[in-house]
Amino acid sequence: MRSIRSKLLFSYLVILIIGAVVMVAAVYFTAPMAYTSHMGGGPGFDPLGGGMGTMMGQGLQRGNLQFMNFRAGVFEALGYAALAAALAAVAVGYFFSRRIVSPLQEVMQASKRISDGHYDERVQTRGNDEMTQLADHFNQMAEKLELTESMRRRLIGDVSHELRTPLTAIKGSMEGLIDGVLPSNKETFEQIYQEAGRLNRLVDDLQEISRVEAGAYQLDIQPVNVSALVQTVAKRLSYSFSDKNISLTLDLPANLPAVLADEDRVIQILTNLTANALQNTPASGSVTIFARPENHFVRFGVHDTGIGIPAEHLSLIFDRFYRVDKSRSRQAGGGSGIGLTIARHLVEAHGGRIWAESAGPGQGSTFQFTLPAA
């Protein structure tokens, strides 16, 4: 009995059987009494009566009266039996209905507490029927709500921190200009302009992640040449790699199939991953962009010889504003912590998946994702 349907059927059968047993038992014990009360002392028969005709008439009359009394006795016995069976059926039905309704009441109470903001509320699971599955799904929903609330609070804190840094720098520079502490020269104004640019880029990143997470964009899916994509990304970032003295290598086999994707979005994904590798690789290091055919997909990868990622951070690396090294701010080259999140959503929108691998701190890392082959 692993389903509510079977439990309900079983409960109905039990109630029916119990009702029938109680009715038979009641008839068995009450029928003699009812028969005696209706048949034993019935009037209309005189064993010392007169002639044959009179005796025949009285016999017919007595037979009709006996039949009516017998019927009344049976109905009386059945009445007692039906009352007993109904009471037994109500008791058994209440027992089974309580066992079925009780989990629903627990879910209702837990949902009310969650609606009041207690996202740590959970429902106990028992058995393996539909109610247990409902409780499991409810607990999963509660966990996701709790995680969403935690991410919302963290998002507010992270955004506040990210906005505060350039705003504090701009405000400090302006106060220095007003007080005459800082000189009114080109260098001071360039510093203020750079901080304003950082603030503008952060706002653009927030708008982008908002659109991506909400799915408020359209994908122009068509066959795209993989080699051309990778080379485009390499050309865009070649100056940054040269400036930091990091080598950029492309590893692309000749038999690569085209991918079904939005060209601009895939370039954005590769750019985010490659820029992340650039930020986390020290001078004289190397970054390799590769691609491989894999079943009905093409697997892209960006491997670097940078700072690496501890194992406990691999599952969190694609979260908003997440940084392995909390001390690395945007100003220090740590980025906003949004690029990987955008890449994950875009890859999943294409029907692929994305993941990160690393042997540990100081041993580099590899970001890979798949896209459907054309």
Side-chain angles (χ1 to χ4, degrees), residues 131-331:
M131 295 306 305
T132 303
Q133 296 174 13
L134 174 62
D136 289 336
H137 291 313
F138 180 87
N139 290 336
Q140 293 175 9
M141 179 197 69
E143 291 176 2
K144 291 182 179 180
L145 287 174
E146 185 178 15
L147 178 61
T148 301
E149 178 65 14
S150 176
M151 293 177 62
R152 184 187 68 83
R153 294 177 180 176
R154 192 178 69 187
L155 174 63
I156 293 175
D158 291 338
V159 170
S160 300
H161 172 75
E162 292 288 341
L163 292 175
R164 186 181 297 113
T165 302
L167 286 175
T168 300
I170 294 174
K171 182 179 178 181
S173 298
M174 295 305 297
E175 289 177 350
L177 288 173
I178 294 173
D179 296 336
V181 177
L182 291 178
S184 301
N185 55 23
K186 181 179 179 181
E187 182 179 358
T188 301
F189 292 126
E190 284 182 350
Q191 291 178 353
I192 297 175
Y193 180 78
Q194 290 176 358
E195 294 298 332
R198 288 176 53 205
L199 186 61
N200 186 70
R201 288 193 298 273
L202 177 59
V203 172
D204 290 341
D205 288 344
L206 291 174
Q207 289 179 339
E208 179 69 13
I209 190 63
S210 176
R211 287 194 298 267
V212 169
E213 289 187 338
Y217 61 91
Q218 292 183 347
L219 296 177
D220 182 17
I221 303 296
Q222 56 184 348
V224 180
N225 184 276
V226 173
S227 299
L229 284 174
V230 176
Q231 291 172 3
T232 299
V233 173
K235 289 179 181 178
R236 288 186 179 183
L237 298 175
S238 59
Y239 177 80
S240 299
F241 276 88
S242 299
D243 186 58
K244 198 175 177 180
N245 192 25
I246 297 176
S247 64
L248 177 61
T249 306
L250 305 183
D251 182 6
L252 304 173
N255 61 341
L256 277 176
V259 293
L260 286 174
D262 186 313
E263 181 175 0
D264 293 336
R265 292 300 184 178
V266 178
I267 290 176
Q268 183 179 4
I269 296 168
L270 280 172
T271 300
N272 289 350
L273 296 180
T274 308
N276 177 76
L278 174 64
Q279 291 172 354
N280 293 283
T281 302
S284 302
S286 64
V287 174
T288 302
I289 304 176
F290 63 87
R292 299 285 186 273
E294 190 174 86
N295 296 328
H296 300 292
F297 292 85
V298 174
R299 176 167 54 89
F300 295 80
V302 178
H303 173 74
D304 63 68
T305 58
I307 61 175
I309 306 172
E312 63 271 17
H313 294 274
L314 289 174
S315 61
L316 304 172
I317 198 69
F318 295 100
D319 290 351
R320 288 187 303 247
F321 297 105
Y322 190 84
R323 296 193 187 95
V324 175
D325 186 356
K326 302 299 181 181
S327 64
R328 288 173 60 84
S329 64
R330 173 190 284 265
Q331 189 175 11

Side-chain angles (χ1 to χ4, degrees), residues 13-31 77-92:
L13 290 175
V14 170
I15 293 172
L16 180 62
I17 293 172
I18 291 178
V21 170
V22 171
M23 180 173 289
V24 170
V27 170
Y28 179 81
F29 289 108
T30 61
L78 288 176
Y80 291 132
L83 178 61
L87 293 176
V90 168
V92 175

Side-chain angles (χ1 to χ4, degrees), residues 212 268-270 272-273 318 338-348 354:
V212 169
Q268 183 179 4
I269 296 168
L270 280 172
N272 289 350
L273 296 180
F318 295 100
I338 295 179
L340 294 180
T341 307
I342 294 175
R344 182 192 67 186
H345 284 282
L346 292 178
V347 169
E348 292 175 352
I354 187 170

Side-chain angles (χ1 to χ4, degrees), residues 39-59:
M39 299 288 293
F45 177 73
D46 183 8
L48 300 177
M52 183 66 65
T54 303
M55 292 177 61
M56 291 180 61
Q58 289 178 348

